[in-house]
Amino acid sequence: MTVAIAGADDPVILEVVEQALELGIANFLLFGQAESISLQSPNIRIIATSSEQEAAEKAAEAVVNKEADILMKGNLPTGLILKTVLKREYQLRAKDLLSHVSVFEIPAYDKPLIISDVAMNIAPNEEEQIQITHNAIEVARKLGIKKPKVAILSAVEKENPKMHSSVQAAQVAAYFKAFPDSEATVEGPLAFDNAISKTAALHKNIVSEVAGDADILIVPTIEAGNILYKSLVYFAGARVGGIIAGVKVPVIIASRSDSADNKLASLILTVGMIGK
Ligand code: COD
């Protein structure tokens, strides 16, 4: 595998590259300010760029031209790499809607937990939330979860016409229920606690296959998702890997403040999913 990193001039990213080289999982094309990239290895090539925009475009072109297999965001804004991936001339879109999917390993939860969309779609409407759910299910299945249990989150488990996210969650769940043979069980609205805690679900008398045992949480907005993501990392000791789903090539988007460990997790997650 060859990974093109846009904005590789960053100590944390270089630590990730070093660790990945030690593990022998990838070769790298490093795009960024060459004077700040001190690594030397036969398995890396440094391509000097003079702006963040140029780094994003050159790295994207490397995957478009098949010089690299994976595109990874380094030290540049998330919006910039997302806008670059969306450029029509690159023809990187495989689905109508691209979305961010993060996979968590949380000490207090007994299995991986997928959360989407915490970093790309800002305030998805019903149709977009359905596509976000499809994309997350596809990732879960690639990770070996045969029939993922999906909770469409709100702040409550009953529809409240005054709370838009609860109404939309019910509509998204109804859409999936119309296909009973589908590859996932989707329910909503569910509040965070009754999606992931059997005790909380029992307490509220929620009888559901998903409640208390979710594999996937679909959040109503980027703000809710981003705050949940960062709470899990900072307060719950979670490890996380993040990718963009719906693109023809794997795209890794970890937050700039993520640790080297979490960025390496994103890379390992992506390499593991290729070809599945
Ligand atoms: N999937 C497919 N196509 C899309 C998507 C998507 N998710 N988003 C936009 N498009 C298409 C539109 O249909 C249009 O054709 C074109 O792309 C441009 O659309 P705009 O003008 O809405 O898109 P942009 O380029 O202004 O913004 C797209 C972003 C993804 C950059 C934007 O939604 C964004 O800023 N998201 C939040 C990113 C962020 O700040 N994350 C931080 C958390 S760490």
Side-chain angles (χ1 to χ4, degrees):
M1 294 295 156
T2 299
V3 185
I5 303 188
D9 44 65
D10 172 74
V12 177
I13 285 287
L14 295 176
E15 204 181 318
V16 175
V17 172
E18 251 184 316
Q19 289 178 17
L21 288 172
E22 271 169 30
L23 293 170
I25 54 173
N27 300 325
F28 291 90
L29 302 180
L30 303 179
F31 298 84
Q33 290 170 12
E35 63 277 14
S36 308
I37 304 176
S38 52
L39 272 184
Q40 282 187 345
S41 156
N43 300 92
I44 64 173
R45 187 150 65 87
I46 298 165
I47 299 100
T49 51
S50 52
S51 68
E52 289 182 334
Q53 175 102 19
E54 193 191 355
E57 286 175 359
K58 289 250 170 80
E61 283 158 19
V63 289
V64 171
N65 300 332
K66 304 208 182 319
E67 292 161 47
D69 309 285
I70 296 172
L71 175 62
M72 181 167 180
K73 179 183 94 89
N75 183 25
L76 38 81
T78 301
L80 175 60
I81 194 90
L82 292 177
K83 275 176 196 276
T84 310
V85 170
L86 284 168
K87 276 188 168 191
R88 289 207 179 271
E89 70 247 44
Y90 291 149
Q91 296 186 10
L92 286 173
R93 303 183 199 187
K95 296 258 179 76
D96 287 343
L97 190 96
L98 275 49
S99 54
H100 185 273
V101 179
S102 36
V103 184
F104 291 82
E105 190 180 88
I106 307 164
Y109 204 55
D110 63 355
K111 58 182 180 177
L113 185 65
I114 292 174
I115 306 184
S116 187
D117 180 329
V118 306
M120 185 166 193
N121 292 280
I122 296 172
N125 62 24
E126 181 190 338
E127 213 176 296
E128 290 164 343
Q129 214 176 26
I130 288 172
Q131 193 54 57
I132 286 170
T133 307
H134 273 303
N135 287 354
I137 292 169
E138 205 173 299
V139 171
R141 288 176 54 80
K142 282 186 184 164
L143 290 174
I145 307 170
K146 287 204 178 75
K147 190 161 183 180
K149 298 176 184 178
V150 187
I152 314 293
L153 291 191
S154 179
V156 286
E157 58 288 337
K158 285 199 181 92
E159 260 183 272
N160 175 351
K162 290 186 180 163
M163 197 186 294
H164 171 70
S165 62
S166 72
V167 177
Q168 187 164 303
Q171 288 163 342
V172 172
Y175 167 90
F176 281 93
K177 285 203 176 107
F179 305 98
D181 293 334
S182 79
E183 293 169 333
T185 309
V186 182
E187 295 193 359
L190 283 169
F192 177 75
D193 56 349
N194 42 54
I196 51 86
S197 156
K198 287 197 176 88
T199 313
L202 273 176
H203 199 69
K204 294 236 167 134
N205 292 325
I206 301 172
V207 182
S208 143
E209 214 180 302
V210 175
D213 195 32
D215 297 295
I216 299 176
L217 304 179
I218 301 296
V219 294
T221 62
I222 195 170
E223 295 93 331
N226 205 267
I227 294 166
L228 177 57
Y229 172 118
K230 286 172 183 161
S231 318
L232 289 171
V233 170
Y234 283 84
F235 284 158
R239 293 180 78 203
V240 60
I243 55 159
I244 298 297
V247 257
K248 288 183 190 158
V249 296
V251 178
I252 302 174
I253 306 273
S255 175
R256 269 191 278 188
S257 58
D258 272 345
S259 64
D261 192 33
N262 281 343
K263 288 189 166 116
L264 187 65
S266 293
L267 188 56
I268 292 170
L269 173 73
T270 307
V271 171
M273 279 195 329
I274 285 181
K276 288 201 177 153

